[in-house]
Amino acid sequence: MRYFFEDYAFDTDRRELQHGSSVVATTPQVFDLLGYLIRNRDRVVSKDDLVQAIWNGRIVSDAALTTRLNAVRSAIGDSGEAQRLIKTLPRKGFRFVGIVRESNKPSTAAVSGDPAGSPTPGLPIPNCPSIAILPFANLSSDPEQEYFADGIVEDITTALARFRGMFVIARNSSFTYKGRVVDVKQVGRELGVRYVLEGSVRKAGSRVRIAGQLIDAETGAHLWADSFDGALQDVFDLQDRVTSNVVGAIAPTLMLAEIKRAERKPTENLDAHDHYLRGLASVRLWTRDGNSRGLDYFRKAIQLDPHLAAAYAMAAWCYVRRKLHQWMDDPAAEIGEAKRLARQAVDLGQDRALPLCMGGYVLGLLERDFDESAALIDRSLAINPNSAYAWSLSAWVRIWRGEPDLAIEHAAKAERLSPLDPSMYSILAAAAYAHFLLHRYDVASSLAEQARRGNPNFVLGVYIAAASNALAGRIEVGQRAIAGALECDPGSRLSNLKNLAPFERPEHFTLFADGLRKAGLPD
């Protein structure tokens, strides 16, 4: 059996791990550990599972296990910090989260990216200039400046995405290539874009240099390359120059004036912007501690610049995540604060996509006013139609409002704009709910299973898997899903289901509750 993920091939018959045309040296134990994680990627495996499978039940110290896991991650270009392919779930275990393809065909050639040995089939190229902005290399002497380089890329991505004449891949998919040596032709195929922008950032004292190169992903030809130097306080102007040069290189007939109109400096206060970027880096760790640090950074950014709408929006979102994960210490006070921050974000960010989108969703979720929520997200998408995140949130809002057809359409747009999104499980789960409301239980259960593979702890995804399978007559499958949901959230009950699934239409809530009742969710 051969397993393919990213540009690696794991061959169990030849006991080889290949990266491109090279064989990666691994010890037998590291090879077996990686194989066990890949074969059991549909679930979280515990330390006891690993000890039993790899060490035949012998006593193994935590340090020894950590050392072997680090060696596995190193072999596949991952790390304990990034956890791009192997995720650690505190107090639960480990899970391989990469997208895997399987083949029973014998290995006859070097890894080409798919089981047949031919280039990976690509997504269709849009009929407009399409681009992916890859993570820029941090050339600063301080590795702590990584967040700054990532922030530069995020700002350039946002500026290009505002231009309606372009198709811009979402940041979440582009950043799956972070820390990897990539073939731009492969990137173009995997993301379905014609152009790729690479670059670097060097921050030294009060000076910044941003370098970029634009590449035709079909031919590999360099279309444009340049570097821009300036003082730190001019960083937004440098970003604007990169953006304008990219547009000028790939779409000379497009109106640069529209980009200039859309460009807005997020804040005049560079310290506030710095704290905002640090907050984004923290919350994207997707941990409780990262969420808490992010909230602290966003609050500090607000103190430094009380008009920074995006910081209010992200702070409100941090509170929502605390609510969804049951991390709140004082739910009533924290929910009240989240509403205040979200309202402030919307009031301050009348012409900004992120505050309108994020603030609108938080208000809808907490105030149960999904009409206002949908209107605010629609305004956000009018400003930035390339926001995969906004399309995803819009899909969820349409589900709660009882518009499943529209939810399917919006989820599909989110998936196309970010085909490698680490949060794809949320997009798939939204599509599953929409098909469920249309009584397409087999389609819903299939999508829910894909979502569950992406994140087995995403309770909304587990619930829709349980309900759709139960109503399709697969009661035992639904019961197993409910057991998983109760493991993630022991307090789950039909009586408090409205907190998690705020359907506006009574018939939709009744349908959902009926499916969960059949699957065994307690009253």
Side-chain angles (χ1 to χ4, degrees):
M1 175 67 74
R2 289 191 297 158
Y3 300 91
F4 296 83
F5 54 95
E6 295 187 344
D7 45 357
Y8 290 87
F10 185 86
D11 192 322
T12 59
D13 296 328
R14 303 175 68 173
R15 288 189 64 83
E16 283 184 351
L17 173 65
Q18 287 183 288
H19 183 210
S21 59
S22 303
V23 176
V24 180
T26 59
T27 66
Q29 217 168 53
V30 167
F31 186 90
D32 291 341
L33 182 53
L34 176 57
Y36 185 81
L37 289 169
I38 292 174
R39 288 192 301 274
N40 293 275
R41 62 189 180 276
D42 60 337
R43 66 184 180 92
V44 178
V45 297
S46 67
K47 174 189 172 183
D48 291 341
D49 292 333
L50 295 177
V51 169
Q52 185 62 44
I54 309 302
W55 285 274
N56 296 317
R58 297 195 305 273
I59 296 175
V60 178
S61 68
D62 288 345
L65 178 58
T66 299
T67 298
R68 294 297 185 277
L69 281 167
N70 286 341
V72 171
R73 284 183 169 126
S74 178
I76 56 177
D78 200 2
S79 69
E81 291 74 29
Q83 298 191 20
R84 188 183 75 256
L85 293 171
I86 298 175
K87 189 173 182 63
T88 299
L89 293 94
R91 297 180 297 279
K92 292 183 180 294
F94 313 92
R95 184 162 175 263
F96 190 92
V97 296
I99 298 174
V100 178
R101 301 182 299 279
E102 299 180 6
S103 174
N104 285 313
K105 295 181 181 179
S107 176
T108 58
V111 179
S112 62
D114 74 341
S118 58
T120 305
L123 291 168
I125 304 294
N127 293 321
C128 62
S130 52
I131 186 170
I133 299 89
L134 296 183
F136 281 19
N138 170 32
L139 301 184
S140 305
S141 58
D142 182 5
E144 290 294 319
Q145 293 299 323
E146 195 78 20
Y147 78 93
F148 183 79
D150 292 349
I152 294 287
V153 175
E154 182 134 8
D155 288 343
I156 292 172
T157 302
T158 300
L160 288 171
R162 290 189 182 117
F163 193 31
R164 291 170 181 79
M166 284 191 178
F167 181 92
V168 182
I169 288 293
R171 178 256 188 217
N172 279 1
S173 281
S174 294
F175 267 66
T176 60
Y177 297 95
K178 186 176 175 66
R180 295 165 52 191
V181 177
V182 298
D183 175 357
V184 293
K185 293 182 180 180
Q186 180 182 346
V187 172
R189 288 194 302 270
E190 291 178 347
L191 298 180
V193 294
R194 193 175 304 279
Y195 305 101
V196 172
L197 178 65
E198 298 180 321
S200 62
V201 177
R202 185 186 300 276
K203 179 182 176 185
S206 62
R207 304 289 296 176
V208 180
R209 166 175 285 188
I210 303 175
Q213 55 182 358
L214 186 68
I215 305 169
D216 186 317
E218 290 186 320
T219 65
H222 285 64
L223 304 178
W224 162 83
D226 207 344
S227 61
F228 305 90
D229 295 89
L232 185 58
Q233 60 264 31
D234 298 327
V235 66
F236 302 123
D237 293 329
L238 299 180
Q239 291 169 181
D240 290 350
R241 289 164 62 190
V242 174
T243 302
S244 295
N245 275 270
V246 169
V247 175
I250 66 178
T253 61
L254 298 176
M255 296 176 60
L256 286 177
E258 187 167 343
I259 281 264
K260 290 300 181 184
R261 177 195 59 75
E263 286 167 354
R264 297 286 189 275
K265 292 184 181 181
T267 175
E268 297 293 339
N269 188 315
L270 289 175
D271 286 338
H273 186 59
D274 188 78
H275 279 81
Y276 176 74
L277 295 182
R278 290 179 185 270
L280 290 179
S282 295
V283 297
R284 282 171 180 153
L285 295 175
W286 300 105
T287 64
R288 181 172 185 169
D289 288 343
N291 193 71
S292 295
R293 287 198 304 274
L295 180 57
D296 290 340
Y297 280 126
F298 295 134
R299 285 196 165 283
K300 182 62 175 177
I302 291 168
Q303 290 177 11
L304 292 167
D305 183 353
H307 300 287
L308 185 52
Y312 287 94
M314 290 306 303
W317 177 244
C318 286
Y319 279 114
V320 165
R321 289 194 65 217
R322 287 169 65 86
K323 178 180 185 295
L324 294 177
H325 290 280
Q326 298 187 22
W327 295 340
M328 286 184 164
D329 298 319
D330 185 348
E334 293 184 42
I335 289 173
E337 177 65 0
K339 292 179 182 179
R340 184 191 71 82
L341 289 165
R343 183 63 63 187
Q344 192 77 351
V346 170
D347 291 344
L348 290 171
Q350 294 292 316
D351 61 347
R352 304 291 180 85
L354 186 143
L356 289 172
C357 161
M358 193 75 79
Y361 186 77
V362 170
L363 289 172
L365 201 64
L366 299 182
E367 296 186 346
R368 296 296 195 265
D369 185 350
F370 288 109
D371 289 340
E372 181 189 26
S373 181
L376 290 169
I377 293 177
D378 285 347
R379 280 172 54 192
S380 170
L381 286 166
I383 295 169
N384 180 5
N386 282 296
S387 173
Y389 194 69
W391 285 114
S392 177
L393 291 184
S394 183
W396 282 107
V397 168
R398 307 300 170 176
I399 289 164
W400 308 138
R401 290 184 81 203
E403 301 170 305
D405 288 314
L406 204 51
I408 292 171
E409 178 185 332
H410 290 191
K413 288 183 178 179
E415 184 174 359
R416 179 59 188 92
L417 282 164
S418 193
L420 301 181
D421 203 309
S423 298
M424 182 60 71
Y425 61 85
S426 179
I427 299 172
L428 292 169
Y433 273 85
H435 284 285
F436 176 84
L437 296 181
L438 294 168
H439 305 280
R440 300 168 184 164
Y441 303 129
D442 287 336
V443 177
S445 61
S446 175
L447 289 165
E449 173 59 22
Q450 295 177 60
R452 190 185 66 81
R453 284 177 177 269
N455 186 349
N457 295 319
F458 184 51
V459 177
L460 274 173
V462 180
Y463 273 164
I464 195 60
S468 55
N469 276 294
L471 291 185
R474 296 182 288 272
I475 302 296
E476 290 186 3
V477 178
Q479 288 173 338
R480 289 198 295 271
I482 286 296
L486 291 172
E487 183 178 337
C488 296
D489 183 6
S492 295
R493 296 290 185 275
L494 286 169
S495 58
N496 58 25
L497 191 59
K498 272 281 188 183
N499 294 330
L500 193 66
F503 293 102
E504 285 192 340
R505 294 191 180 181
E507 65 270 25
H508 287 165
F509 182 81
T510 299
L511 179 69
F512 188 52
D514 183 47
L516 292 177
R517 185 177 291 107
K518 281 183 168 61
L521 184 66
D523 290 329

